[in-house]
Each structure stands twice: as C-alpha cells, then as structure tokens.
Amino acid sequence: MENYYLKPNVVIEPLFDRWYAWPHLISPATAAMNTVDRHLKIMNSYVQSPKLHQAAVKNPKMLGGPFMDYDTERVEDVKNLIAKIKQDQSHLIEFHKAVKELDELLRTKANGYAMEELYKEVPEILRGYVELVYDLNNNPSFRFYEPLLYESELYSKKSQSIALWITDNDERPFCLSTPRLDDPNCLHLEIPFDHEGIDALAKMKRTPSSIDEIAELLNVPLEKRALFDTFFTTQEHPAYKKYDGEKARMRYFGHACVLIETKEVSVLVDPVISYYGYESSVEHFSDIDIPDVIDYVLITHNHQDHIVFETLLPLRHKIKNIIVPKTYSGSLQDPNLKMMFNNIGFNNIIEIGEMEKIRHGDVSITGLPFMGEHSDLNIVSKLCYSVAAGEFKFLFVADSRVLESKIYEHVQKIIGDVDVIFLGMECDGAPLTWLYGPLLTKEISRKDDQSRRLSGSDFDKGMYLVNNFNPKEVYVYAMGQEPWLEFISSIKYTPESHPIVQSNMLVEECKKRGLIAERLFGEKELLYHYELTHS
C-alpha cells in the first residue's frame, strides 16, 4: 500500500461557526459577545444591503472594515448561516444579553452598599458564573469564573470545524468580517480543534502515511473523498536541516514570528508562518524551515495576529512547551490563555509572570512588562520576553508602546543591556472598537474610540527603547506588511504611511550611530557568534 504526503499548499483552517477562529472565539464569554455583536451584526448587514458590502470590499480605504467579501448571490447562504447560528448558539445569544443586563444592573443599583442582595437579580444564565465586586473607589464590576464557563453548555466543541483547501496565492478575505461559506473546492470537517486527526494530518507534511487511514480518522464523508485525495502527493518534502553550530541562529518568518536556535534549544516567538508552498513575489521561510521539535513557543499577547491557530494547530505535534502570560482575572476583556489552549488540545502550557524566568541549559527566557497596544484596557495577559543564550541576549518588545519610561528603566537595571532588540512600530493602530468593540456593554464616543488605539511605538518611543537597552542590532518587526498577513491584519502600507515613515527614521538614526538596523520583511537569517557560558 502506497503512502502519501500532505501537499505543501493545503490550508488547515480552523473555524468557529464557519468564522475564522481566533482566541476570542474560544473563551465562552468573549465568544458570546463576538457572535452577537460581530458575526450576526455583519451578516445581517450583508443580507440587508449586499451591494454595499460588495462595493466596500473593493475600496482600499475600507480595508479591515465590517464588510463581507462575497458577491450578492450569497444572500441565501448567509441567511441559512444566520439561522443555524441562532439555533445552535441560543445559549451564547442569551448570555450576551445577560451580560449587558448585568452591567446595567450594576450601574443603577450598585451604589456602594454591600452587593449580596444584588445576586438575586443577576440574570439566570449568569448565576453561579459571576462574582460582583467593587474596586477601591467603589466602582462596581464583575468577574467570571471562567473554568465553570468552559464546563457549561456555553462551551461547545460542535461549533469548531476545520476547512481544508488548496491555495496558490495570498489572497483571502479579511478574517474578522467574512465567514467561510460552502465552496466546491473546500472540504469542511466537523471535528473539534483537539481532534487527534489534525495532528496526524499535519505530520504527513514530513512523514508519509495512508490516505485511507487518515480519511477514516478524520471522518471524511464518502462523497468528499475524491476532493480529499487531491490534497496529497507522493513527492517527498525537503527534510529540515537542524542547526548544529556552536552559536545561535535567528530566522525571521514574517510579522512577529522569530525562531531562535542553539545547538540544544529552539525557541519560536509568536508563530505566524506562511506554510504554503507556492510561488510568491516575497522570499519567505515556510514550515519546512521549522524544527522537528520546538522546545518553546512564546506568546506575547492575545491578539489575532500573534495567536494564530492556523499555524499552531499543525505545529502542535512538534511543540514541547508553550509559554503564555500568567493571568486569572476573570475579566471579560482578558480571558485566561492557559485555559484556552488546554481546551483546544494543548496540554503543555507554562504560565509565567513579569520578571519570572525559565532556564533550559544555557538558554533562559524571562517575561517582561508589556505596556501599550491594548487601548488602556485592564489586560494583564501580555508579556515582552528576553531570550538569553549564554550572555547573548535577544529582546522581544512586541507591539509595546512606552507609556511610562520608568518601567523600562527598572527592567534594564535587572536584565542589563541586550545584544539584539525586536520592536513593533505599527504606531497608528486601530481604534479600541475595531477589536474590542463587541466586548463593550456601553457605546463610547467616537472621540474616545479614536483616542484609545491599538498602537505600538513611534520613532521617539522606539528610540527610547534603543537608548535604554543599548543593543548592537535593532530590528523593526510585527508590522503586518507581508502579503500572507493581510487577511489577518488588514494592513496595506504606502511609502507615506505614518508607521513606515516613523520606522524609516528609526532605522536611519540607528545606522548613523553605527548600529545594525533594518525593518524586517519576508525572511531574514543571521548567525550569531558568542561564547556560551556553562554553570
């Protein structure tokens, strides 16, 4: 019996109710809010005015807006999806309504007195799942018992599915505004994200296996078997060449994804990888350039361009440990990352907090404070990281924005100077409601919305980080420029775009000072020479 490999350009796309799955669709509370105030709202708008949506997606100024990227003939399909979601997700819809009712209850009745009597007025679907609290200034709020929500009817794996299809380019609709409707060239598998078949399928990129066996494991319908068979080939993929030097190797995979390897340890930061083997105008690494074993994956924060299940699920069988920011606030805007990963089949999660360290031989990983890019919301599930190989230090500040410089001065006193810094300079950023709008229980003014942005560092703030940590090399990253990121980030820059102008200024200033500096794009590989220290 002949064995086959999975073709390099097969997409394994995770979906929630046919919408592209991202972290806020896993935690039941955030899933409820996004189902009603993002998914149903966008779909209802499309049904009412499909021509408006059709025109909007063709307008570059509307990129990333709440417009479905379908022609007008898909109205009936969208109506059917709306009806299915309303039926299947009635609990989430009721939960969404109850959250808004609870918020109104606290605004009108929590006046500083003890809240014990108010528990009787909590909407029934929330009772036993929330705690009512005041802050130290008598402002009322509530928190969820998130583990109980995952064990309730509000968390259903039946909402999860996988779409398999072959791609030959980077063109895809914006993931937060367009669901994946039926397509003759796309195979939908009604399996949850923790299904063992996903790991078995992903392994076939490197290890051939039986198509019959994998089809049975994935419960592929008989009528879809012919399509399924087209996803495989007898052609062997190039083997991974393990780094075995006496130094460190850095590989940039696009956006915020960086692989650091020593002879013994591999560390992959914010995995967002263009897996797919097709001709592209942009040189880039793909999954053939990922180690067969990844010792640590580092997650900086809970945004859809830094936690990408489309990358992580196929890598799951390779990953020994995922390091995530520690949090257990129970707040709506800050779901627990360890809990989320555990519930979709990742059982190797390590939580660390600010200034906590993990050691693996000569490599150490330290979690650092992360300020900015979260629209001033109380979100603690975010970390920058210092990765040290011996005395050689890499610093990943992700999308940090220096809101309070003293914090980074305190950090520098503890970790010292670094050799290489990676900093994000998407300094415009989307407004608060672009990402967090569905979680708001009360409308905010346009002025406030535009003020509170998801922005990283500009020139001044970026140079502050350079001056503070004194690196020898400075790399601007996490800009969302790569074409395979556009469907997630909705970013398309011009030379006049503010983030490009600001990052150009930073790179030029660093070069004037004799530093190696570059705004990364596509791919980059560097070998670092240093003496490893041994304890």
Side-chain angles (χ1 to χ4, degrees):
M1 181 174 63
E2 190 169 20
N3 288 331
Y4 291 81
Y5 295 90
L6 185 67
K7 288 181 177 178
N9 58 338
V10 174
V11 180
I12 303 176
E13 185 178 53
L15 303 174
F16 174 90
D17 286 341
R18 292 296 187 94
W19 286 77
Y20 192 81
W22 62 290
H24 280 199
L25 299 184
I26 304 302
S27 177
T30 51
M33 307 307 283
N34 276 276
T35 293
V36 177
D37 280 338
R38 191 186 302 275
H39 299 169
L40 290 176
K41 184 176 290 186
I42 290 174
M43 288 188 291
N44 283 324
S45 172
Y46 170 83
V47 168
Q48 292 169 11
S49 186
K51 289 184 178 179
L52 183 150
H53 283 247
Q54 188 178 28
V57 295
K58 295 177 182 178
N59 184 346
K61 294 181 179 179
M62 299 294 187
L63 189 64
F67 304 104
M68 286 180 56
D69 195 356
Y70 284 117
D71 293 333
T72 56
E73 71 268 12
R74 302 307 298 262
V75 170
E76 287 304 314
D77 295 323
V78 174
K79 284 182 178 179
N80 291 335
L81 182 56
I82 291 172
K84 187 175 189 306
I85 290 175
K86 285 184 175 180
Q87 177 179 332
D88 295 347
Q89 302 290 19
S90 59
H91 297 300
L92 289 186
I93 294 170
E94 184 183 353
F95 183 92
H96 164 273
K97 179 182 177 184
V99 168
K100 295 202 169 187
E101 290 176 355
L102 176 58
D103 194 64
E104 181 63 22
L105 171 68
L106 295 180
R107 275 201 297 267
T108 57
K109 294 191 176 182
N111 51 15
Y113 291 99
M115 288 201 194
E116 186 170 351
E117 291 301 313
L118 288 183
Y119 281 94
K120 299 173 184 177
E121 299 184 48
V122 171
E124 183 61 32
I125 195 171
L126 296 182
R127 296 191 67 180
Y129 295 116
V130 294
E131 180 180 20
L132 310 182
V133 296
Y134 288 112
D135 68 13
L136 294 178
N137 291 309
N138 274 352
N139 297 306
S141 187
F142 60 90
R143 74 176 191 92
F144 293 110
Y145 291 103
E146 199 174 356
L148 299 182
L149 292 179
Y150 274 107
E151 296 298 327
S152 75
E153 59 193 0
L154 294 163
Y155 180 70
S156 173
K157 293 181 182 180
K158 292 181 180 179
S159 303
Q160 301 171 7
S161 64
I162 298 292
L164 300 178
W165 47 284
I166 292 177
T167 185
D168 59 4
N169 59 63
D170 296 311
E171 298 296 323
R172 295 165 73 172
F174 178 50
C175 70
L176 296 185
S177 63
T178 304
R180 181 162 291 282
L181 302 177
D182 286 341
D183 183 299
N185 297 314
C186 180
L187 172 61
H188 283 98
L189 299 176
E190 302 296 332
I191 57 174
F193 299 154
D194 63 357
H195 195 283
E196 61 178 335
I198 297 173
D199 299 312
L201 181 65
K203 288 178 182 178
M204 291 178 71
K205 280 281 189 81
R206 297 263 174 93
T207 306
S209 187
S210 162
I211 296 181
D212 291 336
E213 290 178 3
I214 191 67
E216 182 178 359
L217 183 59
L218 291 170
N219 300 314
V220 176
L222 185 60
E223 65 273 17
K224 297 292 185 179
R225 180 59 192 271
L227 174 61
F228 184 70
D229 289 355
T230 66
F231 299 151
F232 300 90
T233 178
T234 56
Q235 183 175 348
E236 185 176 357
H237 304 321
Y240 174 72
K241 296 179 181 179
K242 187 179 188 301
Y243 175 74
D244 60 358
E246 296 298 330
K247 41 189 176 273
R249 178 169 70 182
M250 181 279 285
R251 281 181 167 177
Y252 170 72
F253 281 77
H255 196 48
C257 182
V258 178
L259 174 67
I260 302 295
E261 292 175 280
T262 68
K263 194 172 184 178
E264 287 85 21
V265 183
S266 58
V267 179
L268 186 62
V269 184
D270 283 344
V272 183
I273 298 168
S274 178
Y275 268 94
Y276 312 119
Y278 51 78
E279 293 296 322
S280 173
S281 60
V282 179
E283 291 293 322
H284 63 276
F285 292 120
S286 68
D287 64 328
I288 65 171
D289 304 297
I290 291 290
D292 294 322
V293 175
I294 305 167
D295 293 294
Y296 297 97
V297 164
L298 309 186
I299 300 296
T300 59
H301 60 298
N302 189 12
H303 286 168
Q304 84 283 2
D305 57 331
H306 292 260
I307 299 178
V308 180
F309 299 137
E310 184 178 328
T311 293
L312 285 165
L313 287 177
L315 287 182
R316 182 167 55 197
H317 68 282
K318 297 184 176 189
I319 299 171
K320 282 189 174 181
N321 304 284
I322 298 181
I323 297 179
V324 301
K326 182 187 297 183
T327 180
Y328 190 57
S329 67
S331 61
L332 180 59
Q333 74 274 12
D334 200 14
N336 181 275
L337 292 180
K338 180 178 181 181
M339 216 176 298
M340 178 200 71
F341 276 116
N342 286 164
N343 277 277
I344 59 172
F346 292 86
N347 300 310
N348 49 357
I349 309 302
I350 301 172
E351 290 182 309
I352 68 171
E354 293 151 352
M355 307 316 301
E356 291 185 341
K357 181 178 292 188
I358 289 177
R359 294 186 182 275
H360 186 129
D362 286 303
V363 173
S364 65
I365 300 165
T366 306
L368 305 175
F370 179 157
M371 289 197 78
E373 218 247 343
H374 288 75
S375 303
D376 298 319
L377 292 172
N378 183 16
I379 291 175
V380 297
S381 57
K382 54 186 181 181
L383 283 177
C384 300
Y385 291 98
S386 169
V387 178
E391 297 299 318
F392 195 91
K393 297 174 188 174
F394 300 90
L395 177 61
F396 299 91
V397 296
D399 298 321
S400 295
R401 184 173 177 86
V402 184
L403 305 179
E404 168 52 83
S405 60
K406 284 291 183 181
I407 289 179
Y408 297 94
E409 292 176 21
H410 295 322
V411 169
Q412 194 277 338
K413 289 178 182 177
I414 298 171
I415 71 169
D417 290 342
V418 303
D419 296 280
V420 186
I421 188 170
F422 297 85
L423 66 149
M425 293 190 67
E426 209 298 277
C427 52
D428 283 350
L432 163 68
T433 56
W434 184 79
L435 193 65
Y436 292 104
L439 308 186
L440 303 179
T441 56
K442 184 180 179 182
E443 284 193 19
I444 65 171
S445 71
R446 177 175 173 78
K447 182 179 179 180
D448 289 346
D449 190 30
Q450 293 296 320
S451 169
R452 296 170 59 185
R453 305 188 73 89
L454 296 151
S455 52
S457 292
D458 57 13
F459 169 77
D460 289 334
K461 296 181 185 301
M463 285 309 303
Y464 168 79
L465 292 168
V466 173
N467 293 333
N468 190 61
F469 289 103
N470 300 300
K472 301 176 183 68
E473 300 180 20
V474 178
Y475 296 107
V476 177
Y477 80 148
M479 298 288 279
Q481 282 189 281
E482 287 82 12
W484 59 88
L485 258 296
E486 189 177 316
F487 85 102
I488 293 175
S489 68
S490 76
I491 290 173
K492 188 174 284 188
Y493 293 128
T494 68
E496 293 74 35
S497 297
H498 189 225
I500 297 300
V501 172
Q502 291 286 301
S503 56
N504 283 344
M505 290 168 56
L506 182 134
V507 170
E508 290 168 9
E509 176 61 25
C510 289
K511 287 181 176 179
K512 285 180 184 177
R513 300 183 181 191
L515 304 176
I516 296 171
E518 181 182 348
R519 186 178 58 239
L520 297 175
F521 177 74
E523 71 173 41
K524 181 83 173 181
E525 179 177 273
L526 291 170
L527 301 178
Y528 291 97
H529 299 262
Y530 61 91
E531 294 297 325
L532 287 175
T533 59
H534 295 272
S535 55

